[in-house]
Amino acid sequence: MATRTGTGLGQPNAESPDASYAIVAGLYVAVLLAPLAVLVFARATSNGGLLYLGFLTVLTVIATVVGWTVSRTSGLAVSLGGRTTAWLLVVLPFIWFIGVFGVAAMGTELPGITVGLAIVSTIGGMFLGLFLTGMSRTRYAAAVLIGAEDVVEWEARWPRRWRHFSVAWIVIASVLGVGGVIVQLVWSDLSWAGNLYFLMFLWTPFAGAANPRTFRVTDVGLVVERPLQQRLRPWSEFESYAVTDTALIIHPSAWWRPAYRSDREDVEDLDAAVEALEAILGDDE
């Protein structure tokens, strides 16, 4: 069995702060908070140029302060990456979208710039949250895997049926989203159609469905690698595995977590993968 002695995937020392992580963290917080300052400015002026300049200024200041703080907080990325709740970083930006439309539904008049700010914060925050979550999990995995032993490794895509479903959903959501915007622009009385644009957010989890992932069975847990991202889950979070005619499936112990599915035809040495999983997750009775 191979022993991992480095931090993996060419990542910097997982315990040491690094500039790229600090920059993304700073921008993430800034995108969420800067619009609040602009809304305050909007009460004093309606000049678009001044509001835009104010937004950039506040964005830069917050990003700089938060980035500087994060760069000097050792172990922050590793600690965050080891928490299941790290996915909340992706969900949190939607508070802007829900809040703005909720307030508008109650009949409260908002500055004209509010909707634009909500879209920027929601879209920008979501994608920055995805990057930040991935970077945190990669650094956590790199720290835990130092000295870990690899048992078996394989590369595989999702099963064919799941790939077809993912591609179909991406196409449908994209067509409806763009079509809704076009309908709103052409027929202003159908303004509700523009909201279909937010369907495009929902295909994000399926964006890499057609790309292969690398699975590594180690003595400390299951490692799942994607380009620029590495995730480690301890074996205590898994319940069992199964082999079907089309897939190798690893089932988590929590009902709400999705199973890891590998196209059986992609697994180069299926017997070795099954043997390793049986030794760890098999019934001991």
Side-chain angles (χ1 to χ4, degrees):
M1 292 186 291
T3 301
R4 297 273 169 170
T5 57
T7 55
L9 290 182
Q11 295 295 333
N13 188 308
E15 291 291 344
S16 301
D18 61 276
S20 60
Y21 188 85
I23 291 172
V24 174
L27 287 173
Y28 175 77
V29 176
V31 164
L32 294 184
L33 298 183
L36 291 175
V38 176
L39 289 179
V40 174
F41 295 158
R43 293 183 176 274
T45 178
S46 59
N47 186 294
L50 290 177
L51 291 175
Y52 179 69
L53 181 61
F55 176 75
L56 292 181
T57 301
V58 175
L59 187 76
T60 302
V61 171
I62 295 177
T64 301
V65 172
V66 174
W68 180 86
T69 303
V70 170
S71 68
R72 283 158 176 74
T73 307
S74 180
L76 175 63
V78 174
S79 176
L80 182 60
R83 299 178 183 274
T84 302
T85 52
W87 60 269
L88 288 174
L89 292 172
V90 182
V91 177
L92 188 60
F94 284 88
I95 291 178
W96 267 102
F97 172 73
I98 297 172
V100 168
F101 283 92
V103 171
M106 291 187 295
T108 303
E109 186 176 351
L110 296 170
I113 197 174
T114 305
V115 174
L117 290 173
I119 293 176
V120 170
S121 290
T122 302
I123 297 177
M126 182 191 69
F127 282 106
L128 287 169
L130 285 170
F131 281 120
L132 193 59
T133 301
M135 295 171 76
S136 299
R137 287 172 174 168
T138 297
R139 283 154 177 74
Y140 167 75
V144 176
L145 288 171
I146 296 176
E149 293 184 339
D150 285 358
V151 180
V152 68
E153 176 180 317
W154 70 88
E155 186 178 273
R157 299 165 295 175
W158 285 13
R160 182 175 301 176
R161 181 179 63 179
W162 288 80
R163 296 200 304 270
H164 291 171
F165 169 82
S166 300
V167 172
W169 172 242
I170 290 172
V171 172
I172 292 172
S174 299
V175 170
L176 289 177
V178 175
V181 173
I182 295 174
V183 168
Q184 182 183 23
L185 293 174
V186 177
W187 296 283
S188 57
D189 55 328
L190 298 176
S191 58
W192 59 267
N195 296 332
L196 293 175
Y197 176 79
F198 289 95
L199 285 175
M200 297 183 68
F201 295 144
L202 301 181
W203 62 253
T204 303
F206 304 99
N211 300 326
R213 297 171 291 177
T214 299
F215 295 85
R216 292 192 357 239
V217 175
T218 74
D219 58 340
V220 296
L222 178 69
V223 180
V224 183
E225 296 179 357
R226 297 180 176 87
L228 303 179
Q229 182 178 346
Q230 182 183 55
R231 187 170 190 184
L232 168 68
R233 284 199 177 278
W235 291 116
S236 59
E237 295 186 3
F238 293 97
E239 182 178 56
S240 62
Y241 77 96
V243 182
T244 69
D245 292 338
T246 60
L248 170 61
I249 309 170
I250 305 177
H251 295 285
S253 53
W255 64 267
W256 48 270
R257 285 179 177 160
Y260 286 107
R261 302 173 185 271
S262 300
D263 190 318
R264 179 169 176 165
E265 295 181 358
D266 288 348
V267 182
E268 184 175 356
D269 192 341
L270 182 62
D271 291 338
V274 170
E275 182 180 353
L277 293 173
E278 176 65 25
I280 298 172
L281 300 174
D283 191 348
D284 294 332
E285 295 182 359

